[in-house]
Structures are given as C-alpha cells and as structure tokens.
Amino acid sequence: MATGTKGKDDAKKRNVSILNRKARHEYEIEETYICGIALTGTEIKSIRLGLANLQDSFCRVQGGEMWVNNFYIAPYDQGNRYNVESRRVRKLLLHKWQIIKISSRVNERGLSIVPTKLFFDRGYVKIEIGIGRGKKLWDKRDSIAARDSDRDARREAFGRD
C-alpha cells in the first residue's frame, strides 16, 4: 500500500471557513470569543458543503443563554424530513461566566454581538463572535482610506506600479 499526501489534500479541501466580511466593515470589533453551536446532522452536512451565510446575523442573550439569530444554513439536498428551518434561532455553547461577562459589557456600553467567522475545529463546528461598536459613516471612510494607503505602500515596497 502506497502512502501519499492525498489525506492531507482532502483535509485542506474539507476545512470550510465562512467569513462575515460585512461585520468587520460595519463594526469595530474589540473582543472575540470562540464558541460551539448546537446544530442538527443535516445542518452540519450543509456547512461542510459551504452552504451557510453569516450576513445579517446577530447574537442575543436571553434567559441566561446566548442565541444566534438570522443565521442561514441551506437545507441539505438528501435531508428530506430531517431538514429544519434554514433561519431558525440556534443556541451558542458558552460557559455561564462568559455569557455573564459578555452580557454585562453589551448592556453597560451599548455594544453589539456579531458572528464573524464559522469554521471546523477537530470535527466540531465553531463560531467566532465579536463584541463591537457600530461604525459611523466617517469611520468606514477612514478604514477604507487606511486600507488603500497600506495597499499602495506594499505595491511601492515590491516595486509594482
């Protein structure tokens, strides 16, 4: 039996990472947490295929638990009756002390909790949530200008026009 790098290539292909680029643009993220999420089997299979979207999703603390709302996971094609609603409210798995810390920061400072990234870690789906303050229009313009100036500086450093 020949050994090769096929297993490593397959692992790289299956490592799905779904980003919420809009969150970094709309919010100034101050602190991030990585937590688990309670999902069904067909939802996991859809995420492995990359059929999930974090756009317009947000997190809320209700009854001592944290929930993610408006998180879209497409129905799995072969899921038939086991498929669930695509935009249902899903529970985030955090320690109680983490939930208390996050909710106190959000309540006293007027911050928001937004999901920024969805990824697999040792076979489990993890979601990265960020606590951030909403940007104003001029903040967005400043961040775009800074990004453009950094890009121009990198081009000049490498001798590109």
Side-chain angles (χ1 to χ4, degrees), residues 8-159:
K8 292 180 183 178
D9 292 338
D10 289 340
K12 287 180 184 177
K13 288 179 187 175
R14 288 192 332 201
N15 191 8
V16 177
S17 179
I18 298 168
L19 298 174
N20 186 0
R21 293 187 212 155
K22 190 175 179 183
R24 297 273 181 196
H25 182 71
E26 299 275 333
Y27 297 92
E28 184 179 334
I29 306 295
E30 296 177 2
E31 192 174 349
T32 60
Y33 292 91
I34 294 176
C35 57
I37 184 169
L39 299 171
T40 64
T42 56
E43 289 175 324
I44 298 288
K45 291 180 180 186
S46 290
I47 291 172
R48 284 195 192 278
L49 294 174
L51 302 175
N53 189 355
L54 288 171
Q55 297 296 97
D56 301 328
S57 60
F58 60 96
C59 299
R60 221 182 240 165
V61 177
Q62 292 177 339
E65 297 175 335
M66 187 164 298
W67 302 87
V68 63
N69 297 316
N70 209 20
F71 170 36
Y72 178 77
I73 300 175
Y76 186 61
D77 289 338
Q78 288 89 29
N80 59 41
R81 67 180 180 198
Y82 298 109
N83 280 330
V84 292
E85 186 181 341
S86 59
R87 289 199 184 268
R88 72 182 180 95
V89 179
R90 295 170 177 92
K91 184 178 179 178
L92 296 181
L93 306 174
L94 287 164
H95 292 283
K96 189 65 81 175
W97 64 269
Q98 290 174 322
I99 294 172
I100 292 169
K101 182 179 176 183
I102 292 170
S103 63
S104 66
R105 288 203 55 204
V106 168
N107 288 338
E108 62 186 47
R109 292 191 186 175
L111 302 172
S112 299
I113 311 167
V114 290
T116 56
K117 184 178 179 181
L118 183 79
F119 59 95
F120 280 93
D121 182 28
R122 291 179 281 160
Y124 294 104
V125 175
K126 301 290 182 178
I127 190 166
E128 180 184 73
I129 58 173
I131 300 173
R133 187 176 312 281
K135 287 185 181 178
K136 305 288 188 229
L137 181 60
W138 60 83
D139 291 336
K140 293 178 192 175
R141 289 180 187 160
D142 290 341
S143 62
I144 291 170
R147 185 177 64 221
D148 289 342
S149 65
D150 289 343
R151 186 182 314 128
D152 292 339
R154 281 196 310 268
R155 282 184 184 158
E156 289 177 11
F158 289 111

